[in-house]
Amino acid sequence: MFSYRHAFHAGNHADVLKHAILVQILDYFNRKDAPYWVIDTHAGAGLYALDGEWAGQSGEVVDGLDRLLGAPRPPELVTRYLHAIQAFNPDGVANRYPGSPALTLRALRAHDKLRLFELHPTEIEVLQDTLRQLGAPRRQVTIAREDGFDGLKRLLPPPTRRGVVLIDPSYEDKQDYRRTLQAVRDGLERFASGCFAVWYPLVQRVQAHDMARALERLPVEWLHATLTVRKPSADGLGLHGSGMFIVNPPWTLREELRAALPWLEKILAQDEHARHTLEAGGRSAAGSPAGASPARTPAREPRAAARPATAQKRSPSRK
């Protein structure tokens, strides 16, 4: 269970989708003065060296973040994400990639709280060092070496009654799909108005499909975005895309995703099978209809692949 290291995958296409949405959600929560909590069930190391041993070995950032740097006319969702990345690279060269703890810490105000869970013995040591380097106040941020699925239960509802829960396990263990679904169900019983953001991989596993369909049957308002960048491999291995399922999403997120997903599909496409979907439905936490039947943005017809990335590391500032 401790074989997974996110540093191998830092800045890849899945991180782009997940973190662009996370940055948007945090920006939305900051529009009100009222404090809120962010709970990250699988925090990882927090900050990754893109020119280091782990990320440099895999090179997945080349087909992720690197393709966005300098790309023309990014939509607002992507622009906000790139600005957040730039904050961790003040020299203008994207050599550091912030994970969800670092991105969240940057967004929080002094009266907001961050609660992190990480079970990997090495990752949590790196995470602790990262937060010290970033100057995270102890009164604001806590880290628990604990299974985030179990730890989440005792933190809900947060005292502020405003909060974001990010659930993004590695899914190396097939039980993670079942446990993610149960965590959302249990979480909603304790914190019906909470915003739950679930990341999951698009892989050739029936558990991934079943979890997504089960989440769509929850009696709450939700958004479901997926981004596929290539055709699944013949051996069934590898990540050909990812999805984000958001319960009780910001009301602004749907329109921003409508603008951003076609752009991301074009920029991140690795072959003609790239596509995206955006679905919405369910009911609000108060029980009123959140809209008509789930609205589905159909996948686009196959098209030419986007140009390949031309540089390993480019300035995160837009040209």
Side-chain angles (χ1 to χ4, degrees):
M1 66 182 297
F2 291 140
S3 62
Y4 182 86
R5 300 294 297 277
H6 186 75
F8 273 120
H9 313 287
N12 69 0
H13 57 83
D15 268 359
V16 169
L17 179 66
K18 173 173 62 178
H19 292 145
I21 290 175
L22 175 62
V23 168
Q24 196 277 350
I25 292 172
L26 297 173
D27 178 74
Y28 179 83
F29 268 71
N30 285 340
R31 296 183 185 184
K32 290 185 178 180
D33 290 335
Y36 64 93
W37 281 31
V38 177
I39 303 170
D40 193 335
T41 62
H42 298 79
L47 191 64
Y48 306 94
L50 294 177
D51 56 353
E53 177 184 356
W54 297 87
Q57 181 177 337
S58 69
E60 291 186 20
V61 67
V62 174
D63 285 323
L65 173 64
D66 276 0
R67 291 196 179 202
L68 274 59
L69 302 179
R73 297 182 296 279
E76 179 61 28
L77 185 92
V78 176
T79 298
R80 190 183 295 114
Y81 163 72
L82 291 175
H83 285 166
I85 301 298
Q86 186 177 27
F88 294 89
N89 295 277
D91 61 355
V93 180
N95 283 326
R96 298 204 304 172
Y97 188 84
S100 51
L103 289 169
T104 301
L105 182 62
R106 172 184 176 271
L108 295 188
R109 292 87 47 92
H111 57 309
D112 303 321
K113 305 292 185 183
L114 176 58
R115 300 293 181 256
L116 303 169
F117 293 96
E118 179 53 53
L119 197 55
H120 194 292
T122 303
E123 294 282 86
I124 194 168
E125 290 181 3
V126 178
L127 176 60
Q128 290 168 339
D129 288 341
T130 296
L131 293 177
R132 280 194 291 268
Q133 293 173 19
L134 296 176
R138 291 186 178 182
R139 67 181 182 278
Q140 185 177 34
V141 182
T142 63
I143 309 172
R145 183 176 175 180
E146 184 181 353
D147 186 318
F149 289 124
D150 296 331
L152 176 62
K153 297 175 184 179
R154 71 170 184 273
L155 295 184
L156 297 180
T160 58
R161 295 303 193 272
R162 296 185 75 218
V164 180
V165 178
L166 176 63
I167 304 174
D168 63 334
S170 68
Y171 297 98
E172 282 197 325
D173 184 344
K174 293 181 181 179
Q175 294 302 312
D176 282 350
Y177 297 96
R178 176 188 61 79
R179 299 189 74 194
T180 294
L181 177 61
Q182 193 60 48
V184 176
R185 287 172 171 166
D186 291 346
L188 286 170
E189 289 183 2
R190 294 172 168 81
F191 186 31
S193 62
C195 178
F196 293 80
V198 174
W199 175 89
Y200 71 96
L202 294 183
V203 290
Q204 293 181 285
R205 279 185 175 182
V206 66
Q207 292 90 345
H209 173 83
D210 289 348
M211 184 189 75
R213 298 289 80 83
L215 287 169
E216 289 184 351
R217 292 193 291 270
L218 292 173
V220 290
E221 186 177 0
W222 52 262
L223 278 178
H224 185 194
T226 69
L227 179 64
T228 300
V229 298
R230 62 172 174 83
K231 180 181 180 180
S233 60
D235 59 11
L237 301 176
L239 186 69
H240 60 269
S242 64
M244 280 289 284
F245 192 95
I246 304 96
V247 172
N248 296 324
W251 70 269
T252 55
L253 181 57
R254 184 176 179 182
E255 290 305 313
E256 289 204 37
L257 282 171
R258 277 180 170 171
L261 285 171
W263 189 91
L264 287 170
E265 176 193 324
K266 178 181 178 181
I267 298 299
L268 296 176
Q270 297 180 22
D271 62 26
E272 68 275 11
H273 296 277
R275 62 193 293 262
H276 72 273
T277 64
L278 179 61
E279 306 170 32
R283 288 178 174 269
S284 68
S288 59
S293 301
R296 301 175 184 268
T297 300
R300 293 188 170 194
E301 293 297 319
R303 47 159 194 79
R307 61 174 177 81
T310 57
Q312 271 294 106
K313 306 290 180 287
R314 296 167 63 184
S315 169
S317 60
R318 287 196 289 132
K319 299 288 184 179

